């Protein structure tokens, strides 16, 4: 199966950068009339490195160019963003994000990056611009709204949002706000509309109090209009954007989202209510607990109430109503609640306190399964086929563990399985009921699967996020992605958490013999999404 990013690669003419072309693009003038060997000229040495067939040589050349830091070196780094190997492209993306020169940043936001003819360069530039530590004209970023690939516009809007929050956005912000509002209402892609709404919220938050007072009604009307959007990702963004409004406006505006048919919207509203941290928001959370049908969302409500109150009541609404009854009208928590964050160093992070309604009946490699809508992503890269000391293959153990898990799933559960190498190999295009026939077919097909190759975790996760019914992704991996468009875990985690803002999927992770650095990154992903993580060894 062809991965989503490879589909784009094949569909767009000129996609993919030839490292050998880097020197031709730069037209670096000689520094002396006599010949200079590459070893005597660091720039020439780095440019030659970009032409190498070796991935490690090209990656080393990227680091050399960063150390040189001249205009010619930066131009070469922009070209390296299009390297077909994720190790090289990701390394260049991480480096250019550290640019602190407004002139160089403007080049990356123009034809050298965000407006480049090659898609990978545009994609990487669109994300990296949002992490720069210098001023950037909003008009340069918003030019990406006309890009033929919606993902470029989505990432550029995320950069607008981040730069607005860090107060590094400059130019005609009023005109930029108008362009963004137009995208909220009329862009053809739902993810772009959702991203535009949060970018607009960031600009609203940046305004002075005087300007906010004038713009408040316009922003409220925009949220009300987007609340009716057909795409649940946009409605998620409404729940998040309402946090910038006063409570007396935000609560009535978001109340209809509590009955939204899509669970991701209800989960976004739960987080918004918790962040408000007042009696009215606690009242709304308890009311939601009484009506919420899905275990994952009930667990999130209970966890939010526990953090707000300091109590450990579970899924029964009665003790929560008793607590609420004694609160004064102007109640605020003594300490603001702290949701599980990506920098926590604890072990497993539970999504919610288990009770009679959320207790797990099935588990996978020591990880209790509390969701009814699960996608399993299984890493089929090299470690799956490396014999253990007793001669067995890890694949044999995984076969047995997955069989035991699927056979104990409650019948109301829906599931899918996505083995992944450099390509993703989904068993079904979307979730299916866990009835006996489907379970038998899934087990048989999985046990027959002999795929091998590099591990493209990023595309496997994107596949799960693209199924609107999935609310939990359970990944079994060695923690070392090597394939796909992105394999640098720092980037992978940041990009997935950003995309997941509009989906609210819990990333549950089982790591097998993972390096410590990889475990830290996957812990960030799991905890940042309300998921859990288990680390184990092959023999377990």
């Amino acid at each position: 199966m062809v991965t989503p990013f490879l589909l784009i690669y094949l569909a767009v003419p000129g996609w993919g950068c030839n490292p050998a072309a880097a020197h031709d693009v730069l037209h670096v003038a000689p520094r002396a009339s006599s010949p200079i060997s590459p070893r005597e000229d660091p720039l020439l040495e780095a440019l030659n490195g970009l032409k190498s067939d070796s991935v490690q040589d090209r990656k080393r050349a990227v680091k050399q160019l960063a150390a040189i830091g001249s205009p010619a070196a930066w131009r070469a780094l922009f070209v390296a963003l299009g390297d077909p190997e994720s190790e090289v492209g990701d390394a260049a993306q991480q480096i250019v994000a550290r640019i602190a020169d407004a002139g160089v940043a403007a080049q990356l936001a123009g034809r050298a990056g965000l407006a480049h003819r090659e898609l990978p360069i545009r994609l990487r530039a669109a994300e990296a611009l949002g992490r720069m530590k210098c001023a950037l004209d909003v008009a340069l970023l918003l030019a990406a709204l006309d890009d033929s690939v919606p993902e470029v516009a989505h990432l550029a809007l995320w950069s607008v949002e981040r730069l607005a929050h860090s107060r590094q956005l400059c130019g005609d912000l009023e005109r930029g706000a108008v362009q963004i509002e137009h995208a909220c209402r009329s862009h053809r892609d739902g993810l772009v509309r959702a991203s535009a709404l949060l970018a607009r919220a960031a600009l609203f938050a940046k305004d002075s109090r005087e300007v906010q007072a004038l713009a408040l009604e316009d922003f409220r009307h925009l949220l009300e209009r987007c609340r009716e959007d057909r795409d649940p990702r946009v409605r998620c963004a409404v729940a998040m954007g309402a946090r910038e409004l006063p409570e007396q406006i935000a609560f009535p505006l978001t109340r209809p989202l509590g009955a939204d048919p899509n669970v991701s919207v209800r989960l976004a509203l739960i987080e918004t209510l918790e962040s408000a941290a007042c009696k009215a928001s606690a009242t709304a959370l308890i009311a939601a607990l009484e009506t919420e049908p899905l275990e994952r969302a009930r667990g999130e409500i209970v966890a939010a109430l526990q953090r707000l109150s300091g109590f450990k009541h579970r899924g029964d609404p009665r003790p929560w109503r008793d607590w609420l009854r004694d609160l004064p009208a102007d109640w605020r928590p003594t300490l603001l609640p702290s949701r599980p964050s990506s920098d926590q160093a604890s072990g497993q992070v539970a999504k919610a306190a288990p009770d009679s309604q959320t207790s797990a009946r099935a588990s996978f490699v020591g990880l209790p399964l509390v969701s009814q809508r699960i996608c399993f992503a299984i890493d089929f890269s090299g470690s799956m086929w490396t014999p253990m000391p007793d001669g067995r293959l890890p694949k044999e153990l995984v076969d047995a563990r997955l069989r035991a898990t699927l056979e104990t799933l409650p019948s109301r559960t829906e599931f899918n399985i996505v083995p992944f190498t450099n390509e993703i190999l989904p068993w079904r295009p979307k979730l299916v009921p866990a009835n006996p026939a489907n379970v038998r077919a899934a087990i048989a097909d999985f046990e027959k699967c002999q795929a091998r190759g590099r591990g493209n975790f990023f595309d496997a996760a994107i596949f799960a996020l693209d199924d609107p019914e999935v609310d939990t992704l359970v990944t079994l991996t060695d923690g070392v992605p090597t394939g796909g468009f992105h394999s640098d875990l720092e980037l992978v985690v940041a990009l997935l958490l950003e995309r997941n803002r509009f989906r609210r999927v819990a990333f549950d992770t089982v790591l097998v013999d993972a390096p410590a650095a990889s475990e830290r990154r996957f812990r960030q992903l799991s905890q940042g999404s309300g998921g859990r993580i288990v680390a184990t060894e092959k023999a377990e």
Side-chain angles (χ1 to χ4, degrees):
M1 177 175 176
V2 180
T3 67
F5 276 106
L6 189 54
L7 281 172
I8 297 174
Y9 188 105
L10 294 172
V12 180
W15 202 84
C17 170
N18 176 7
H23 188 272
D24 295 334
V25 171
L26 296 175
H27 302 294
V28 180
R31 300 188 181 185
S33 57
S34 58
I36 300 176
S37 71
R39 291 187 179 182
E40 295 172 337
D41 188 319
L43 180 59
L44 287 177
E45 181 181 1
L47 295 176
N48 282 336
L50 284 184
K51 296 187 289 184
S52 173
D53 291 334
S54 165
V55 172
Q56 292 307 312
D57 285 349
R58 301 202 302 276
K59 190 174 179 180
R60 190 179 304 112
V62 164
K63 295 179 180 179
Q64 290 174 321
L65 291 166
I68 294 167
S70 67
W74 284 120
R75 290 197 298 272
L77 275 169
F78 298 162
V79 173
L81 291 171
D83 195 284
E85 287 290 340
S86 61
E87 281 190 61
V88 182
D90 282 355
Q93 185 171 343
Q94 294 283 49
I95 287 169
V96 299
R98 299 200 292 265
I99 291 173
D101 183 286
V104 176
Q107 291 180 35
L108 185 63
R111 296 182 64 183
L114 191 55
H116 199 277
R117 67 182 183 277
E118 293 181 5
L119 179 58
I121 294 179
R122 302 203 306 277
L123 288 168
R124 293 186 184 280
E127 185 284 324
L129 287 163
R131 290 187 282 141
M132 291 184 174
K133 304 301 181 185
C134 57
L136 195 62
D137 192 324
V138 65
L140 292 172
L141 289 164
L142 293 184
L145 289 174
D146 295 326
D147 198 286
S148 61
V149 179
E151 181 67 7
V152 177
H154 155 234
L155 292 172
L157 285 164
W158 183 31
S159 286
V160 169
E161 178 190 347
R162 289 177 290 169
L163 291 171
H165 281 307
S166 62
R167 298 190 175 275
Q168 292 168 220
L169 210 56
C170 63
D172 190 342
L173 298 184
E174 185 175 346
R175 184 172 185 273
V178 172
Q179 288 180 267
I180 292 171
E181 288 184 14
H182 180 72
C184 290
R185 295 187 176 101
S186 61
H187 199 281
R188 68 188 186 280
D189 185 82
L191 181 58
V192 173
R193 296 197 301 275
S195 303
L197 188 55
L198 291 189
R200 182 66 188 92
L203 286 175
F204 177 76
K206 178 185 180 298
D207 289 338
S208 66
R209 291 186 179 181
E210 294 77 10
V211 174
Q212 277 191 348
L214 294 172
L216 190 147
E217 276 302 297
D218 289 340
F219 185 52
R220 180 178 68 82
H221 284 308
L222 178 64
L223 290 175
E224 286 181 338
R225 175 167 177 161
C226 292
R227 188 182 62 193
E228 307 305 317
D229 195 287
R230 66 186 182 277
D231 194 309
R233 295 172 294 186
V234 180
R235 304 197 298 274
C236 270
V238 170
M240 298 165 68
R243 297 170 199 171
E244 303 299 340
L245 294 173
E247 292 168 6
Q248 65 270 24
I249 297 175
F251 286 174
L253 188 149
T254 58
R255 187 175 295 121
L257 300 179
D260 195 280
N262 190 283
V263 67
S264 62
V265 180
R266 304 198 300 273
L267 288 168
L269 181 60
I270 290 165
E271 185 175 323
T272 294
L273 291 171
E274 181 184 355
S275 68
C278 63
K279 185 171 183 178
S281 66
T283 302
L285 284 169
I286 294 170
L289 182 62
E290 294 175 327
T291 58
E292 175 56 53
L294 291 183
E295 295 175 2
R296 162 87 194 286
R298 288 181 59 81
E300 293 287 1
I301 296 170
V302 170
L305 287 169
Q306 289 178 345
R307 288 188 289 267
L308 283 169
S309 67
F311 292 118
K312 298 299 180 184
H313 306 317
R314 295 185 177 179
D316 184 348
R318 290 172 295 181
W320 292 117
R321 289 197 298 266
D322 293 341
W323 164 71
L324 182 68
R325 191 177 302 116
D326 296 332
L327 295 181
D330 60 351
W331 171 82
R332 298 280 182 175
T334 305
L335 295 175
L336 289 177
S338 176
R339 295 178 64 84
S341 63
S342 60
D343 58 356
Q344 288 176 322
S346 59
Q348 298 181 23
V349 174
K351 287 180 287 192
D355 61 21
S356 60
Q357 293 173 310
T358 62
S359 57
R361 290 190 236 170
S363 64
F364 181 59
V365 196
L367 182 72
L369 303 179
V370 298
S371 170
Q372 299 158 273
R373 300 175 176 183
I374 308 172
C375 181
F376 296 91
I378 311 296
D379 187 348
F380 269 57
S381 61
S383 59
M384 182 73 86
W385 307 104
T386 303
M388 298 180 295
D390 62 4
R392 292 180 299 167
L393 292 175
K395 172 66 162 54
E396 299 173 46
L397 294 181
V398 175
D399 287 346
R401 293 297 183 91
L402 187 63
R403 173 186 285 273
T405 296
L406 296 183
E407 289 178 342
T408 55
L409 288 178
S411 58
R412 60 181 176 172
T413 303
E414 296 182 355
F415 77 102
N416 197 4
I417 306 172
V418 184
F420 63 92
T421 58
N422 199 48
E423 297 180 351
I424 56 172
L425 306 164
W427 174 64
R428 292 291 185 266
K430 59 182 181 179
L431 298 183
V432 298
N435 58 45
N438 283 335
V439 167
R440 286 194 301 270
I443 291 170
D445 288 349
F446 184 84
E447 291 179 354
K448 287 188 293 186
C449 183
Q450 299 292 309
R452 301 168 188 247
R454 297 189 292 177
N456 182 1
F457 167 68
F458 183 74
D459 274 350
I462 292 296
F463 176 86
L465 292 179
D466 284 345
D467 182 346
E469 297 303 315
V470 171
D471 72 13
T472 301
L473 174 64
V474 178
T475 302
L476 176 71
T477 178
D478 62 5
V480 187
T482 53
F485 186 67
H486 289 297
S487 57
D488 179 281
L489 274 177
E490 182 180 356
L491 270 177
V492 165
V493 169
L495 288 163
L496 290 179
L497 287 177
E498 187 281 327
R499 180 75 70 93
N500 195 44
R501 297 188 298 174
F502 309 113
R503 283 287 288 109
R504 305 287 160 163
V505 169
F507 285 85
D508 286 352
T509 309
V510 179
L511 290 175
V512 182
D513 290 342
S518 296
E519 184 175 338
R520 285 194 298 273
R521 293 299 181 193
F522 273 96
R523 193 174 302 281
Q524 290 176 344
L525 180 60
S526 290
Q527 294 175 341
S529 64
R532 299 157 300 159
I533 186 167
V534 169
T536 185
E537 298 178 359
K538 287 180 183 177
E540 294 182 3

